[in-house]
Amino acid sequence: MQQAAALVATARSVVVLTGAGMSAESGVPTFRDAQTGLWERFVPEQLATERAFRANPALVWTWYMWRWHLVNGVTPNAGHNAIARWQQHLGATHGSLTVATQNVDDLHERGGASNVLHLHGSLGAFRCIDCHRATAFTPGTLESKCTQDFDDENLLTPVACQHCATGVLRPGVVWFGEALPEEAFERAIDQLQTAELVVVIGSSGLVQPAASLPLIGRDAGAKLIEINPSTTELSQSADVHIASTAAVALPSLVAKMV
Ligand code: APR
Ligand code: ZN
């Protein structure tokens, strides 16, 4: 921890890369946790692909309404808040901190971070499955029955697109087999070229191309810290692996600085 604290205290340009583990202590399930992971309970091919949505729009729409309500019912954890304080501190002292997340929740923003790069899109960025136009839509009482656990016996009807006659809304997340939002990914790569420090938090490092980002930073000369209670593919490449959680390790690392 001391080595990591020294890197945190001196780095002027930082990239923080986060995965589902970042939101775990807020109560949002991760994907691959052996007991509670979403992919232990649901089949990704049935819920997180365009083909699945077109085959059964009501099932996929209801699952995302359940996830949307789950995320909106929780609050950022101490790790989200620590990253925001760190970003504000660097911003005020002519440094920079970029957050690039695989998470589709808005907990980084609600925790105070700004200019967050969403590599896998955002739950709340709804668009039409046919004409692809963004549509302002806030799930409300119609979806309130989704506040309990996901119930595939009581499916919702997907919301019709306001712009075209055929389409219905889909969540603005990146489904398996889809390309990442180019601008977000390019900006992350750009920031990694000059980063002195890359911190990877709560990512299993199994899903490309996001999983390649930490090593792009390291190969460009950055030091690499990993915060994860488990070891991952990345651990042997990290300068420091902190076997702890986001909400415990980050406040402790940042406290010494801000
Ligand atoms: N703090 C830090 N790390 C944690 C915590 C925590 N409190 N709890 C769990 N972790 C770690 C786990 O050990 C694991 O390595 O977070 C990681 C979560 O891994 P995944 O569930 O695979 O989530 P993620 O890496 O974000 O998945 C990548 O897969 O299904 C797709 O699009 C989805 O963005 C997601 C992508
Ligand atoms: Zn449309």
Side-chain angles (χ1 to χ4, degrees), residues 132-198:
H132 310 297
R133 275 178 284 194
T135 302
F137 169 75
T138 304
T141 47
L142 170 72
E143 289 72 28
S144 58
K145 59 182 165 189
C146 280
T147 49
Q148 307 309 324
D149 202 351
F150 173 63
D151 169 7
D152 60 2
E153 297 296 317
N154 289 294
L155 298 182
L156 296 170
T157 306
V159 172
C161 170
Q162 299 159 348
H163 305 290
C164 72
T166 60
V168 290
L169 299 190
R170 56 161 288 177
V173 302
V174 177
W175 279 330
F176 288 105
E178 293 186 323
L180 271 63
E182 208 167 308
E183 196 208 334
F185 195 65
E186 290 306 320
R187 278 181 56 203
I189 294 215
D190 206 33
Q191 294 299 318
L192 288 165
Q193 303 310 317
T194 53
E196 291 169 47
L197 177 62
V198 175

